[in-house]
Amino acid sequence: MPVPYTGTVLLVDDDPMIRKATEKWLQMAGLTVICADSAEQALPHLNDAFPGILLTDVKMPGMSGLELMQAAHERIPDLPVILVTGHGDIDMAIQAMRDGAYDFIEKPFVPERLVETLIRACDKRALMLENSRLQTDLAARSGIDGKIIGFSPAITRLKRELLAAAEMDTNVIIYGETGSGKELVAQCLHEFSPRKTKRFVPINCGAIPEHLIESELFGHEAGAFTGAAKRRIGKFEHADGGTLFLDEIESTPAHLQIKILRALQEGQIERLGANQTIPVNIRVIAASKADLRDDENFRQDLFYRLNVSQLYIPPLRERTEDVPLLFMHYVNQAATERDKESRQLSVQDEKVLRSHQWPGNVRELKNIAIRFALDSRASLADLVSGQPAISYADEVEHRPLPLAIQVAAFEAEVLKRALHRHQGNIKAVMDELDLPRRTLNQKMTRYGLNRSDFTG
C-alpha cells in the first residue's frame, strides 16, 4: 500500500479503463487527481494557478502527449511532466526527457513505481512554487515590510505597534533576545518618525568600559581628565534633534543612570569638566534583553521615564513561518553583493530551517545564510548543526585536530585538486590517483564533491 501523500496530478489518458484505474490508485496514495480524456481537455487546467504536475499518455487522438508537454511548458516552463509510453517508444521517451520531460513510465507500469515517481515530481513542484513565492514576497516588500521581513502574526503585530510608537515621538523600551534585531527596530522607529531627517545615534552601553561611558554619552572638555587632550562631543549632544539608541541599557552603572534621568527630565546635559549646560532635544530608545522592572540594579524612576512605549521582538522560534523568507532575503543579499547566482532551498532545507530553534535569532540565521550563499557545496543541515566544513587549508594548518580528521581533510583536498585539474573528468582522476570507480564515487559522496562543480 502506498504511503499517503498530498499533491495534485493532472491525469490525461484517452483510455477510460486505464484512466479510472490509475485515478483510483493515485487517490489511495493520497494524491488529488484531475482527470482529462484528451490533451485539449487538459489544457485549460494548465495556468499560473495550477499547483500540481502533469501525467500524460503519449499516443492519443488529436494532440499527442508530446505536443501537450510542449504546450504545457510554454505556459508553465518548469512544470514536471511524466510521460506514459509503450514498450517500443523508449528512444522517443529519452529524447522527450532531453526536451524537458521529468520522467517516463513504460507500459505496463507497476503502480508503486508510478506513485514514487509522481511523489518526487510533486515535491519538486512544491519546492518551485515555494521558492517562487519567497522571491515574489521579497520583491514586493516596501515601507515597513521592506525593513522588517516576515508576515507571521507575531511580526505583523510588532510592525503595527512600531508604526504607532514611531508617530508618537516618545521614549521607547525595546525588549528582545540577543540577535533578535533590536537595533533594526530602533532604526525603524527613527525612520518612520517625525525625526527621520535628523541623526540616529546608536551606542552599546555594555560594550564601553565603565570609566569611558560617561564621556561617550555626555562628552568632555579638554583637560577634564587624564588623556582628554581636546573637547569631545557626546552622543546626547550629537543626537540633538534626532534619536539616541541606548542598547543594553541594563548594563549602565548606577551613577550614570542618575545623569541620564536628569538629562531626560531637564532636556539638557553638561559635558565633563564644563560649568555650563547644553540644551538637547532628543528621543531616547532603550533596549534590554530582560524586563527592567525585575532588575533591582536599574532605577525605577529612569525606567518610568523611558517606558512611555514598549515593544517586544519575538524570537525566531516564535515565528518559524517567517524563517524561509528571512533566510532567502539574506541569501539573495549575499549573492548579489558578491555577484554570485543565488542558491535555492530544497524541501529538506526548508524542514531544517523550520525545525531549528535559532538560539542566536536573526544574527545566527544571517550568518548561516551568508555561508550557505557563498559555498555551493555546503549542506544547510551541516551549517545549522555547526558541523565544520572539511578544509585542509583552514582546519589543519591553523589548529590541532585528531589524526582521522586531518587525514580526511587532506584526502578531500587531494580529490578536489585532481577533479579541478582534470575539469571533472572521472576517468582521468581514477588513472591519476589509481582508484577504482566505486571507491572514487564513495569518497566523492563522503566529502560532498560533485563532478559538475569542476567541469568547464
Side-chain angles (χ1 to χ4, degrees), residues 313-398:
I313 305 176
L316 281 183
R317 64 180 176 275
E318 292 182 6
R319 54 182 185 114
T320 54
E321 57 266 61
D322 291 334
V323 170
L325 181 65
L326 189 57
F327 187 83
M328 284 307 302
H329 165 72
Y330 288 121
V331 169
N332 291 343
Q333 190 179 75
T336 300
E337 289 174 354
R338 294 159 180 82
D339 197 26
K340 292 175 66 71
E341 184 176 348
S342 183
R343 291 180 68 181
Q344 299 300 312
L345 296 175
S346 68
V347 173
Q348 184 58 36
D349 288 338
E350 288 216 23
K351 291 179 181 176
V352 169
L353 290 176
R354 292 178 186 273
S355 63
H356 188 54
Q357 289 298 297
W358 301 106
N361 290 295
V362 178
R363 185 179 294 128
E364 177 189 4
L365 180 141
K366 182 177 180 180
N367 175 272
I368 292 175
I370 292 172
R371 293 161 63 194
F372 179 80
L374 300 186
D375 187 353
S376 60
R377 291 168 294 177
S379 159
L380 180 57
D382 286 346
L383 292 175
V384 167
S385 66
Q387 289 284 346
I390 294 177
S391 169
Y392 182 72
D394 292 340
E395 297 295 328
V396 175
E397 294 180 0
H398 297 297

Coordinates of all heavy atoms in Angstrom, one line a residue, residues 313-398:
I313 N 10.2 42.1 20.7 CA 10.6 41.5 19.4 C 10.5 40.0 19.6 O 11.2 39.4 20.5 CB 12.0 41.9 19.0 CG1 12.1 43.4 18.9 CG2 12.4 41.2 17.7 CD1 13.6 43.8 18.6
P314 N 9.7 39.3 18.9 CA 9.6 37.8 19.1 C 10.8 37.1 18.6 O 11.4 37.5 17.5 CB 8.3 37.4 18.3 CG 8.3 38.5 17.2 CD 8.7 39.7 17.9
P315 N 11.3 36.1 19.3 CA 12.4 35.3 18.8 C 12.0 34.5 17.6 O 10.8 34.3 17.4 CB 12.8 34.4 20.0 CG 11.5 34.3 20.8 CD 10.8 35.6 20.6
L316 N 13.0 34.0 16.8 CA 12.6 33.3 15.6 C 11.8 32.0 15.9 O 11.0 31.6 15.1 CB 13.9 32.9 14.9 CG 14.6 34.0 14.0 CD1 15.8 33.5 13.3 CD2 13.6 34.6 13.1
R317 N 12.1 31.4 17.1 CA 11.3 30.2 17.4 C 9.8 30.4 17.5 O 9.0 29.5 17.5 CB 11.9 29.5 18.6 CG 11.8 30.3 19.9 CD 12.4 29.6 21.1 NE 12.3 30.4 22.3 CZ 13.2 31.4 22.6 NH1 14.3 31.6 21.8 NH2 13.1 32.1 23.7
E318 N 9.4 31.7 17.7 CA 8.0 32.0 17.9 C 7.4 32.5 16.6 O 6.2 32.8 16.5 CB 7.9 33.1 18.9 CG 8.2 32.7 20.3 CD 7.9 33.8 21.4 OE1 7.4 34.9 21.0 OE2 8.3 33.6 22.6
R319 N 8.2 32.5 15.5 CA 7.7 32.9 14.2 C 8.4 32.1 13.1 O 9.0 32.6 12.1 CB 7.8 34.4 13.9 CG 9.2 34.9 14.1 CD 9.2 36.4 13.9 NE 10.5 37.1 13.9 CZ 11.1 37.6 12.8 NH1 10.5 37.6 11.6 NH2 12.3 38.2 12.9
T320 N 8.3 30.7 13.2 CA 9.0 29.9 12.3 C 8.5 30.0 10.8 O 9.3 29.7 9.9 CB 8.8 28.4 12.7 OG1 7.4 28.1 12.8 CG2 9.5 28.1 14.1
E321 N 7.3 30.5 10.6 CA 6.8 30.6 9.3 C 7.5 31.7 8.5 O 7.5 31.8 7.3 CB 5.3 30.9 9.3 CG 4.9 32.1 10.1 CD 4.4 31.8 11.5 OE1 5.3 31.3 12.2 OE2 3.3 32.0 11.9
D322 N 8.2 32.6 9.3 CA 9.0 33.7 8.6 C 10.4 33.3 8.2 O 11.1 34.0 7.5 CB 9.1 34.9 9.5 CG 7.7 35.6 9.7 OD1 6.9 35.5 8.8 OD2 7.6 36.3 10.8
V323 N 10.9 32.2 8.8 CA 12.3 31.8 8.7 C 12.7 31.6 7.2 O 13.7 32.2 6.8 CB 12.6 30.6 9.5 CG1 14.0 30.1 9.2 CG2 12.5 31.0 11.0
P324 N 12.0 30.8 6.4 CA 12.5 30.7 5.0 C 12.6 32.0 4.2 O 13.5 32.3 3.5 CB 11.4 29.8 4.4 CG 10.9 29.0 5.5 CD 10.8 30.0 6.6
L325 N 11.6 32.9 4.4 CA 11.6 34.2 3.7 C 12.7 35.0 4.2 O 13.5 35.6 3.4 CB 10.2 34.9 4.0 CG 10.1 36.3 3.3 CD1 10.0 36.1 1.8 CD2 8.8 36.9 3.8
L326 N 13.0 35.1 5.5 CA 14.1 35.9 6.0 C 15.4 35.3 5.6 O 16.3 36.0 5.2 CB 14.0 35.9 7.6 CG 14.9 36.8 8.3 CD1 14.7 38.2 7.9 CD2 14.6 36.7 9.8
F327 N 15.5 34.0 5.6 CA 16.7 33.3 5.2 C 17.1 33.6 3.7 O 18.2 34.0 3.4 CB 16.6 31.8 5.4 CG 17.9 31.0 5.1 CD1 18.8 30.9 6.1 CD2 18.1 30.4 3.9 CE1 20.0 30.2 5.9 CE2 19.3 29.7 3.7 CZ 20.2 29.6 4.7
M328 N 16.1 33.5 2.8 CA 16.3 33.8 1.4 C 16.6 35.3 1.2 O 17.4 35.6 0.3 CB 15.1 33.4 0.6 CG 14.9 31.9 0.4 SD 16.4 31.2 -0.3 CE 16.7 32.1 -1.8
H329 N 16.1 36.2 2.0 CA 16.5 37.6 1.9 C 18.0 37.8 2.1 O 18.6 38.4 1.3 CB 15.7 38.4 3.0 CG 16.3 39.8 3.2 ND1 16.1 40.8 2.3 CD2 17.0 40.3 4.3 CE1 16.7 41.9 2.8 NE2 17.3 41.6 4.0
Y330 N 18.6 37.1 3.1 CA 20.0 37.2 3.3 C 20.8 36.5 2.3 O 21.9 36.9 2.0 CB 20.3 36.8 4.8 CG 19.8 37.8 5.8 CD1 18.9 37.4 6.8 CD2 20.3 39.1 5.8 CE1 18.5 38.3 7.8 CE2 19.8 40.0 6.7 CZ 18.9 39.6 7.7 OH 18.5 40.5 8.7
V331 N 20.3 35.3 1.8 CA 21.0 34.6 0.8 C 21.1 35.4 -0.5 O 22.1 35.6 -1.1 CB 20.2 33.3 0.5 CG1 20.8 32.6 -0.8 CG2 20.4 32.3 1.6
N332 N 20.0 36.0 -0.9 CA 19.9 36.9 -2.1 C 20.9 38.1 -1.9 O 21.6 38.5 -2.9 CB 18.5 37.3 -2.4 CG 17.6 36.2 -2.9 OD1 18.1 35.2 -3.3 ND2 16.3 36.4 -2.8
Q333 N 20.8 38.7 -0.7 CA 21.6 39.8 -0.5 C 23.1 39.5 -0.6 O 23.9 40.2 -1.2 CB 21.3 40.3 0.9 CG 21.9 41.7 1.3 CD 21.5 42.1 2.7 OE1 22.0 41.6 3.7 NE2 20.6 43.1 2.8
A334 N 23.5 38.4 0.0 CA 24.9 38.0 0.0 C 25.4 37.6 -1.5 O 26.5 38.0 -1.9 CB 25.2 36.8 0.9
A335 N 24.5 36.9 -2.2 CA 24.8 36.6 -3.6 C 24.9 37.8 -4.5 O 25.9 37.9 -5.3 CB 23.7 35.6 -4.1
T336 N 24.0 38.8 -4.3 CA 24.1 40.0 -5.1 C 25.4 40.8 -4.8 O 26.0 41.3 -5.7 CB 22.8 40.9 -4.8 OG1 21.7 40.1 -5.1 CG2 22.9 42.1 -5.6
E337 N 25.7 40.9 -3.5 CA 26.9 41.7 -3.2 C 28.2 41.1 -3.7 O 29.1 41.8 -4.0 CB 27.0 41.8 -1.6 CG 25.9 42.7 -1.0 CD 26.0 42.6 0.5 OE1 26.7 41.8 1.1 OE2 25.2 43.4 1.2
R338 N 28.2 39.8 -3.9 CA 29.4 39.1 -4.4 C 29.2 38.6 -5.9 O 30.0 37.8 -6.3 CB 29.8 38.0 -3.5 CG 30.1 38.5 -2.1 CD 30.0 37.4 -1.1 NE 30.4 37.9 0.3 CZ 29.6 38.6 1.1 NH1 28.4 38.9 0.7 NH2 30.0 39.0 2.3
D339 N 28.2 39.1 -6.6 CA 28.0 38.8 -8.0 C 27.9 37.3 -8.2 O 28.5 36.8 -9.1 CB 29.0 39.4 -8.8 CG 28.6 39.5 -10.3 OD1 27.4 39.5 -10.6 OD2 29.5 39.5 -11.2
K340 N 27.2 36.6 -7.3 CA 27.0 35.1 -7.5 C 25.6 34.8 -7.7 O 24.7 35.6 -7.4 CB 27.5 34.4 -6.2 CG 29.0 34.5 -5.9 CD 29.3 33.8 -4.6 CE 29.0 32.3 -4.5 NZ 30.0 31.6 -5.3
E341 N 25.3 33.6 -8.3 CA 24.0 33.2 -8.5 C 23.4 32.7 -7.2 O 24.0 32.0 -6.4 CB 23.9 32.1 -9.5 CG 22.5 31.6 -9.9 CD 22.5 30.5 -11.0 OE1 23.5 30.3 -11.6 OE2 21.4 29.9 -11.2
S342 N 22.2 33.2 -6.9 CA 21.6 32.8 -5.6 C 21.1 31.3 -5.6 O 20.6 30.8 -6.5 CB 20.3 33.7 -5.3 OG 19.8 33.4 -4.1
R343 N 21.5 30.7 -4.4 CA 21.1 29.3 -4.3 C 19.6 29.2 -3.9 O 19.0 30.1 -3.3 CB 21.9 28.6 -3.2 CG 23.3 28.4 -3.5 CD 24.1 27.7 -2.4 NE 23.7 26.4 -2.2 CZ 24.1 25.6 -1.2 NH1 25.1 26.0 -0.4 NH2 23.7 24.3 -1.1
Q344 N 18.9 28.1 -4.2 CA 17.5 27.9 -3.9 C 17.5 26.8 -2.8 O 18.4 26.0 -2.6 CB 16.8 27.4 -5.1 CG 16.7 28.4 -6.3 CD 16.1 29.7 -5.9 OE1 15.1 29.8 -5.3 NE2 16.8 30.8 -6.2
L345 N 16.3 26.8 -2.1 CA 16.1 25.9 -1.0 C 15.5 24.6 -1.5 O 14.6 24.6 -2.4 CB 15.2 26.5 0.1 CG 15.7 27.7 0.8 CD1 14.7 28.3 1.7 CD2 17.0 27.4 1.6
S346 N 15.9 23.5 -0.9 CA 15.3 22.2 -1.2 C 14.2 22.0 -0.2 O 14.1 22.7 0.8 CB 16.3 21.1 -1.2 OG 16.8 20.9 0.2
V347 N 13.4 20.9 -0.4 CA 12.4 20.6 0.6 C 13.0 20.3 1.9 O 12.5 20.7 3.0 CB 11.5 19.4 0.1 CG1 10.6 18.9 1.2 CG2 10.8 19.7 -1.2
Q348 N 14.1 19.5 1.9 CA 14.8 19.2 3.2 C 15.4 20.5 3.8 O 15.3 20.6 5.1 CB 15.9 18.2 2.9 CG 16.6 17.7 4.1 CD 15.7 17.0 5.1 OE1 14.8 16.3 4.7 NE2 16.0 17.2 6.4
D349 N 15.9 21.4 3.0 CA 16.4 22.7 3.6 C 15.3 23.4 4.4 O 15.6 23.9 5.5 CB 16.9 23.6 2.5 CG 18.2 23.1 1.9 OD1 18.9 22.3 2.5 OD2 18.5 23.4 0.7
E350 N 14.1 23.5 3.8 CA 13.0 24.2 4.5 C 12.7 23.5 5.8 O 12.4 24.1 6.8 CB 11.8 24.2 3.6 CG 12.0 25.2 2.4 CD 10.7 25.9 2.1 OE1 9.8 26.0 3.0 OE2 10.5 26.4 1.0
K351 N 12.7 22.2 5.8 CA 12.4 21.4 7.1 C 13.5 21.8 8.1 O 13.2 21.9 9.3 CB 12.4 19.9 6.8 CG 11.2 19.5 6.0 CD 11.2 18.0 5.7 CE 10.1 17.5 4.9 NZ 10.1 16.1 4.5
V352 N 14.7 21.8 7.7 CA 15.8 22.2 8.6 C 15.6 23.6 9.2 O 15.8 23.8 10.4 CB 17.2 22.1 7.9 CG1 18.3 22.7 8.7 CG2 17.5 20.6 7.5
L353 N 15.3 24.5 8.3 CA 15.1 25.9 8.8 C 14.0 26.0 9.8 O 14.1 26.7 10.8 CB 14.8 26.8 7.6 CG 15.9 27.1 6.6 CD1 15.4 27.9 5.4 CD2 17.1 27.8 7.3
R354 N 12.9 25.3 9.5 CA 11.7 25.4 10.4 C 11.9 24.6 11.7 O 11.3 25.0 12.7 CB 10.4 24.9 9.7 CG 10.0 25.8 8.5 CD 8.8 25.3 7.8 NE 8.5 26.0 6.6 CZ 7.7 27.1 6.6 NH1 7.2 27.5 7.7 NH2 7.4 27.7 5.5
S355 N 12.7 23.6 11.7 CA 12.8 22.8 12.9 C 13.9 23.3 13.9 O 13.9 23.0 15.1 CB 13.1 21.3 12.5 OG 14.4 21.2 11.9
H356 N 14.9 24.1 13.3 CA 15.9 24.6 14.2 C 15.4 25.7 15.2 O 14.5 26.4 14.8 CB 17.0 25.2 13.3 CG 18.2 25.6 14.1 ND1 18.9 24.8 14.9 CD2 18.9 26.8 14.2 CE1 20.0 25.4 15.4 NE2 20.0 26.7 15.0
Q357 N 15.9 25.7 16.4 CA 15.4 26.6 17.4 C 16.0 28.0 17.3 O 15.5 29.0 17.9 CB 15.7 26.0 18.8 CG 14.9 24.8 19.2 CD 13.4 25.2 19.2 OE1 12.9 26.0 20.0 NE2 12.6 24.5 18.3
W358 N 17.1 28.2 16.6 CA 17.7 29.5 16.4 C 18.0 30.3 17.7 O 17.4 31.4 17.9 CB 16.8 30.4 15.5 CG 16.6 29.8 14.1 CD1 15.4 29.2 13.7 CD2 17.6 29.6 13.1 NE1 15.6 28.7 12.4 CE2 16.9 29.0 12.0 CE3 18.9 30.0 12.9 CZ2 17.6 28.7 10.8 CZ3 19.5 29.7 11.8 CH2 18.9 29.0 10.7
P359 N 18.8 29.7 18.6 CA 19.1 30.4 19.8 C 19.8 31.8 19.6 O 19.7 32.7 20.4 CB 20.1 29.4 20.5 CG 20.6 28.6 19.4 CD 19.5 28.4 18.4
G360 N 20.5 31.9 18.5 CA 21.1 33.2 18.2 C 20.2 34.1 17.3 O 20.6 35.2 16.9
N361 N 19.0 33.7 17.1 CA 18.0 34.5 16.4 C 18.5 35.0 15.0 O 19.1 34.3 14.3 CB 17.5 35.7 17.3 CG 16.7 35.2 18.4 OD1 15.6 34.6 18.2 ND2 17.2 35.3 19.6
V362 N 18.1 36.2 14.6 CA 18.4 36.7 13.3 C 19.9 36.8 13.0 O 20.3 36.5 11.9 CB 17.7 38.1 13.1 CG1 18.0 38.6 11.7 CG2 16.2 38.0 13.2
R363 N 20.7 37.1 14.0 CA 22.1 37.2 13.8 C 22.7 35.8 13.4 O 23.5 35.7 12.5 CB 22.8 37.6 15.1 CG 24.3 37.9 14.9 CD 24.9 38.4 16.2 NE 24.4 39.7 16.6 CZ 23.9 40.0 17.7 NH1 23.9 39.1 18.7 NH2 23.5 41.3 18.0
E364 N 22.2 34.7 14.1 CA 22.6 33.4 13.7 C 22.1 33.0 12.3 O 22.9 32.5 11.5 CB 22.1 32.4 14.7 CG 22.4 30.9 14.4 CD 21.7 29.9 15.3 OE1 20.9 30.4 16.1 OE2 21.9 28.7 15.2
L365 N 20.9 33.3 12.0 CA 20.3 33.0 10.7 C 21.1 33.7 9.6 O 21.4 33.1 8.6 CB 18.8 33.4 10.7 CG 18.1 33.1 9.4 CD1 16.7 32.6 9.7 CD2 18.0 34.4 8.5
K366 N 21.4 35.0 9.8 CA 22.1 35.7 8.8 C 23.5 35.2 8.5 O 23.9 35.0 7.4 CB 22.2 37.2 9.2 CG 22.9 38.1 8.1 CD 22.9 39.5 8.6 CE 23.6 40.4 7.5 NZ 23.6 41.8 7.9
N367 N 24.2 34.8 9.6 CA 25.5 34.2 9.4 C 25.4 32.9 8.6 O 26.2 32.7 7.7 CB 26.1 33.9 10.8 CG 27.4 33.2 10.8 OD1 27.4 31.9 10.7 ND2 28.5 33.9 10.7
I368 N 24.4 32.0 8.9 CA 24.3 30.8 8.2 C 23.9 31.0 6.7 O 24.4 30.4 5.8 CB 23.4 29.8 8.9 CG1 24.0 29.4 10.2 CG2 23.0 28.6 8.0 CD1 23.1 28.5 11.1
A369 N 23.0 32.0 6.5 CA 22.5 32.3 5.2 C 23.7 32.8 4.3 O 23.8 32.4 3.1 CB 21.5 33.4 5.2
I370 N 24.6 33.6 4.8 CA 25.7 34.1 4.1 C 26.7 32.9 3.7 O 27.1 32.8 2.5 CB 26.5 35.2 4.8 CG1 25.6 36.4 5.0 CG2 27.8 35.5 4.2 CD1 26.2 37.5 5.9
R371 N 26.9 32.1 4.7 CA 27.8 30.9 4.4 C 27.1 30.0 3.4 O 27.8 29.4 2.5 CB 28.1 30.2 5.7 CG 28.9 31.0 6.6 CD 28.8 30.5 8.1 NE 29.4 29.2 8.2 CZ 29.2 28.4 9.3 NH1 28.4 28.9 10.3 NH2 29.7 27.2 9.3
F372 N 25.8 29.8 3.5 CA 25.1 29.0 2.5 C 25.2 29.6 1.1 O 25.3 28.8 0.1 CB 23.6 28.9 3.0 CG 22.7 28.1 2.1 CD1 22.7 26.7 2.1 CD2 21.9 28.7 1.2 CE1 21.9 25.9 1.3 CE2 21.0 27.9 0.4 CZ 21.1 26.6 0.4
A373 N 25.1 30.9 1.0 CA 25.1 31.5 -0.3 C 26.5 31.5 -1.0 O 26.5 31.4 -2.2 CB 24.7 33.0 -0.1
L374 N 27.5 31.5 -0.2 CA 28.9 31.6 -0.7 C 29.5 30.3 -1.0 O 30.5 30.2 -1.8 CB 29.7 32.5 0.2 CG 29.3 33.9 0.5 CD1 30.3 34.6 1.3 CD2 29.0 34.6 -0.8
D375 N 29.0 29.2 -0.4 CA 29.6 27.9 -0.6 C 28.6 27.0 -1.2 O 27.7 26.4 -0.4 CB 30.2 27.4 0.7 CG 31.0 26.1 0.5 OD1 31.0 25.5 -0.6 OD2 31.6 25.6 1.5
S376 N 28.6 26.8 -2.5 CA 27.6 26.0 -3.1 C 27.6 24.5 -2.7 O 26.6 23.8 -2.9 CB 27.7 26.0 -4.6 OG 29.0 25.6 -5.0
R377 N 28.7 24.1 -2.1 CA 28.8 22.7 -1.7 C 28.4 22.5 -0.2 O 28.3 21.3 0.3 CB 30.3 22.2 -1.9 CG 30.7 22.0 -3.3 CD 32.1 21.8 -3.5 NE 32.9 23.0 -3.1 CZ 34.2 23.1 -3.1 NH1 34.9 22.0 -3.4 NH2 34.8 24.2 -2.7
A378 N 28.2 23.6 0.5 CA 27.9 23.5 1.9 C 26.4 23.0 2.1 O 25.5 23.5 1.5 CB 28.0 24.8 2.6
S379 N 26.3 22.0 3.0 CA 25.0 21.5 3.3 C 24.3 22.4 4.4 O 25.0 22.7 5.4 CB 25.1 20.0 3.8 OG 24.0 19.7 4.6
L380 N 23.1 22.8 4.2 CA 22.4 23.6 5.2 C 22.3 22.9 6.5 O 22.5 23.5 7.6 CB 21.0 24.0 4.7 CG 20.2 24.9 5.6 CD1 21.0 26.2 5.9 CD2 18.9 25.3 5.0
A381 N 22.0 21.6 6.5 CA 21.9 20.8 7.7 C 23.2 20.9 8.5 O 23.2 21.0 9.7 CB 21.5 19.4 7.4
D382 N 24.4 20.8 7.8 CA 25.7 20.8 8.5 C 25.9 22.2 9.0 O 26.4 22.4 10.1 CB 26.8 20.4 7.5 CG 26.8 18.9 7.3 OD1 26.2 18.2 8.0 OD2 27.5 18.5 6.3
L383 N 25.6 23.2 8.3 CA 25.8 24.6 8.7 C 25.0 24.9 10.0 O 25.5 25.5 10.9 CB 25.4 25.6 7.6 CG 26.3 25.6 6.4 CD1 25.7 26.6 5.3 CD2 27.7 26.1 6.7
V384 N 23.7 24.5 10.0 CA 22.8 24.7 11.1 C 23.3 23.9 12.4 O 23.2 24.4 13.5 CB 21.4 24.3 10.8 CG1 20.5 24.3 12.0 CG2 20.8 25.4 9.8
S385 N 23.8 22.7 12.1 CA 24.2 21.9 13.3 C 25.6 22.2 13.8 O 26.0 21.7 14.8 CB 24.2 20.4 12.9 OG 25.1 20.1 11.9
G386 N 26.2 23.1 13.1 CA 27.6 23.6 13.5 C 28.7 22.7 13.0 O 29.8 22.8 13.5
Q387 N 28.4 21.7 12.1 CA 29.4 20.9 11.6 C 30.4 21.7 10.7 O 30.0 22.4 9.8 CB 28.8 19.8 10.7 CG 28.0 18.7 11.5 CD 28.9 17.8 12.2 OE1 30.1 17.7 11.9 NE2 28.3 17.0 13.1
P388 N 31.7 21.6 11.0 CA 32.7 22.4 10.2 C 32.9 21.7 8.9 O 32.9 20.5 8.8 CB 33.9 22.3 11.1 CG 33.8 21.1 11.8 CD 32.4 20.9 12.1
A389 N 33.0 22.6 7.8 CA 33.3 22.0 6.5 C 34.7 21.5 6.5 O 35.6 22.2 7.1 CB 33.1 23.1 5.4
I390 N 35.0 20.4 5.9 CA 36.4 19.9 5.9 C 37.2 20.7 5.0 O 37.0 20.7 3.8 CB 36.3 18.4 5.5 CG1 35.6 17.6 6.5 CG2 37.7 17.9 5.3 CD1 35.5 16.1 6.2
S391 N 38.2 21.3 5.5 CA 39.1 22.1 4.6 C 40.5 21.9 5.2 O 40.8 22.3 6.3 CB 38.7 23.6 4.7 OG 39.7 24.4 4.1
Y392 N 41.3 21.4 4.3 CA 42.7 21.1 4.8 C 43.4 22.4 5.1 O 44.1 22.6 6.1 CB 43.5 20.4 3.6 CG 44.9 20.0 4.0 CD1 45.2 19.0 4.9 CD2 46.0 20.7 3.4 CE1 46.5 18.7 5.3 CE2 47.3 20.4 3.8 CZ 47.5 19.4 4.7 OH 48.8 19.1 5.0
A393 N 43.3 23.4 4.2 CA 44.0 24.7 4.5 C 43.5 25.4 5.7 O 44.3 25.9 6.5 CB 43.8 25.6 3.2
D394 N 42.2 25.5 5.9 CA 41.6 26.2 7.0 C 41.7 25.5 8.4 O 42.0 26.1 9.4 CB 40.2 26.6 6.8 CG 40.1 27.6 5.6 OD1 41.1 28.2 5.3 OD2 39.0 27.6 5.0
E395 N 41.4 24.2 8.4 CA 41.3 23.5 9.6 C 42.6 22.9 10.1 O 42.9 23.0 11.3 CB 40.3 22.3 9.4 CG 38.9 22.8 9.1 CD 38.3 23.6 10.2 OE1 38.6 23.3 11.4 OE2 37.5 24.5 10.0
V396 N 43.4 22.2 9.2 CA 44.5 21.5 9.7 C 45.7 22.5 10.0 O 46.4 22.3 11.0 CB 45.0 20.5 8.6 CG1 46.3 19.8 9.0 CG2 43.9 19.5 8.3
E397 N 45.9 23.5 9.2 CA 47.1 24.3 9.4 C 46.9 25.3 10.6 O 47.9 25.7 11.1 CB 47.3 25.1 8.1 CG 47.7 24.3 6.9 CD 48.0 25.1 5.7 OE1 47.9 26.3 5.7 OE2 48.3 24.5 4.7
H398 N 45.7 25.6 11.0 CA 45.5 26.7 12.0 C 45.2 26.2 13.4 O 45.2 26.9 14.3 CB 44.4 27.6 11.5 CG 44.8 28.3 10.2 ND1 45.9 29.2 10.2 CD2 44.3 28.3 9.0 CE1 46.0 29.7 8.9 NE2 45.0 29.1 8.2

